[in-house]
Amino acid sequence: MTGLLYANVMAELLEDVRRGQLRAGSRVPGELELARRFSVSRITTRRALDLLARAGIVERARGRGTFVSATLPDLDRVRADLGLAAPGSVVGASTLGLLLPDFAEAYGLDLVRGVEAACTSRGHSLLLRRTYGERGAEEAGVSALMRAGAQALIVFPVHGEHYNPVLLQAVLDGFPVVLVDRYLRGIPAPSVATDNVSAAAALTRFLLDLGHRGVAFVSPPIENTSSLEDRFAGYRAALEAAGLPARPELALHALESSLPLHLRPENVRIDVARLEAFIAAASGVTAFLVAEYTLALAVTHTLRALGRRVPEEVSVACFDSPADPLDGPLFTHVRQDQEAMGRRAVDLAVTRLEGQEVPLRNPVAFEIVPGRSTAPPPRKEPSP
């Protein structure tokens, strides 16, 4: 057996059929009864029964229960097809599910490409589902991908999430789950992500080395989003290392227009108003470190609308920035290796499918890419 809990349930039920303890047409114990028997959750037993139904071993009738099929296929062939032929092995190609809020050129598209390329090169099938940043859609997506036959999940968690009970239960049941872009505190699933603390610190040092001393930090709400929390921690660590005091008034964590389903005119107007007030109150700022590309656009637009020149008077740097084929990237930015992130996630998911343990934290490389949005701060004219 594979060592996965739902696979163990399938293997035991197949043996019950082989031994005649479950005969053709007889009723199979329900999800709750099986959950008690095997000390697993109902989501685990539901998945086992769904896969056995797809294989023709059982038939499921809503409101009536689950019954052994009147005409059974070859049990040895089914066992092999379900990956139960040998301990610790997965037979043949696997089906992986990718669940993410959304993807675009700025961020996400190369991640999807990396996952797809790795699946194709290894002969695996890929199911994709978007959550649009909604927790309910994420919970439904986990269940839907598992019902559709995904044998492992690669999940880009929604913003601000700390506890997804469906995802946590799948992890606790031994279902292979790999997180990308961020990790979730309290959920012991392996993650593949940029070292956001180091990346934000490196980007902050880039601005400091240009001569900036008033560096502001702008982001969406950071609470319970590990990538944003870590970026803010890296920013603060770089300032501290440079002997600069942390000034709470130079941090704005209230912008939401970059979140999925929030990029609407009214939300953008609200964010611009917040930025205008923040810029007016943040004295001495000559550079902005922005946690996301879309918000970096909003910061630049607002600065220019207020008569501030970028980068001649104020510099703007961010995470991720699409490159113009002729002019290069607009923003100086942290380039995350999204394709490597996707490929590594597939490797870890398949390794987990094979019953092997993997590290919880799996960082991918990043680099600081200079763009057209940064320059040394303007020189102060000497007082007459």
Side-chain angles (χ1 to χ4, degrees):
M1 290 182 290
T2 66
L4 305 177
L5 298 181
Y6 73 87
N8 296 343
V9 175
M10 288 193 296
E12 289 294 332
L13 291 177
L14 276 174
E15 283 304 300
D16 288 347
V17 173
R18 185 192 299 277
R19 291 191 296 262
Q21 292 176 286
L22 289 173
R23 299 179 180 275
S26 63
R27 187 179 183 282
V28 178
E31 295 172 3
L32 185 57
E33 186 177 347
L34 289 173
R36 291 179 180 140
R37 171 182 167 184
F38 293 103
S39 299
V40 297
S41 71
R42 288 188 66 176
I43 195 172
T44 297
T45 56
R46 183 182 307 122
R47 175 164 173 75
L49 291 174
D50 285 344
L51 289 173
L52 289 175
R54 198 171 295 126
I57 299 297
V58 301
E59 296 175 354
R60 310 201 72 187
R62 186 180 296 275
R64 294 180 53 234
T66 302
F67 300 86
V68 179
S69 299
T71 304
L72 289 167
D74 180 84
L75 297 184
D76 289 332
R77 179 183 59 78
V78 169
R79 187 179 181 87
D81 289 344
L82 291 174
L84 306 173
S89 67
V90 177
V91 177
S94 303
T95 299
L96 276 61
L98 174 60
L99 186 66
L100 74 171
D102 208 346
F103 53 94
E105 184 181 5
Y107 191 76
L109 182 57
D110 285 341
L111 173 64
V112 174
R113 285 173 173 158
V115 172
E116 190 277 333
C119 286
T120 298
S121 66
R122 300 182 63 162
H124 302 305
S125 299
L126 178 65
L127 303 174
L128 185 147
R129 188 178 177 113
R130 289 184 288 178
T131 64
Y132 300 99
E134 295 185 333
R135 172 169 167 171
E138 182 179 84
E139 293 181 9
V142 170
S143 300
L145 287 172
M146 293 169 69
R147 288 196 304 270
Q151 296 164 275
L153 294 178
I154 298 171
V155 179
F156 185 146
V158 303
H159 174 87
E161 182 168 41
H162 181 65
Y163 183 82
N164 178 334
V166 177
L167 187 62
L168 176 59
Q169 190 62 63
V171 172
L172 295 179
D173 285 342
F175 192 88
V177 174
V178 177
L179 307 177
V180 291
D181 182 76
R182 60 194 61 162
Y183 54 89
L184 294 175
R185 292 181 176 86
I187 295 187
S191 66
V192 187
T194 301
D195 180 345
N196 283 289
V197 174
S198 297
L203 189 57
T204 305
R205 285 194 299 271
F206 180 93
L207 296 171
L208 296 175
D209 290 344
L210 287 175
H212 295 281
R213 289 298 177 265
V215 181
F217 184 91
V218 174
S219 74
I222 67 173
E223 186 177 6
N224 294 330
T225 300
S226 62
S227 56
L228 297 178
E229 290 175 336
D230 287 352
R231 289 172 191 180
F232 186 54
Y235 155 80
R236 289 171 61 94
L239 293 180
E240 181 179 352
L244 297 174
R247 295 171 56 189
E249 72 273 16
L250 298 191
L252 176 64
H253 303 306
L255 304 185
E256 299 183 346
S257 59
S258 67
L259 302 177
L261 299 182
H262 285 72
L263 188 55
R264 296 190 289 265
E266 59 270 26
N267 292 331
V268 173
R269 285 193 292 270
I270 291 171
D271 277 358
V272 168
R274 288 169 174 159
L275 279 170
E276 289 175 345
F278 176 71
I279 292 168
S283 62
V285 170
T286 59
F288 285 81
L289 192 158
V290 188
E292 296 178 353
Y293 166 75
T294 305
L295 295 182
L297 290 174
V299 169
T300 303
H301 170 83
T302 305
L303 286 167
R304 288 173 174 164
L306 293 173
R308 307 287 296 279
R309 293 177 299 158
V310 177
E312 293 85 358
E313 295 180 78
V314 185
S315 290
V316 180
C318 65
F319 275 68
D320 311 303
S321 179
D324 184 308
L326 297 178
D327 293 334
L330 170 61
F331 292 106
T332 293
H333 65 282
V334 172
R335 190 187 78 81
Q336 304 184 77
D337 196 340
Q338 299 175 58
E339 290 201 23
M341 195 183 299
R343 292 193 300 269
R344 179 63 173 152
V346 171
D347 290 342
L348 293 175
V350 172
T351 301
R352 288 285 293 112
L353 265 173
E354 293 170 348
Q356 302 177 47
E357 295 300 318
V358 299
L360 281 181
R361 299 288 178 263
N362 300 271
V364 295
F366 68 88
E367 62 177 318
I368 305 299
V369 181
R372 307 191 302 276
S373 63
T374 52
R379 291 183 178 180
K380 291 184 177 180
E381 296 295 331
S383 301

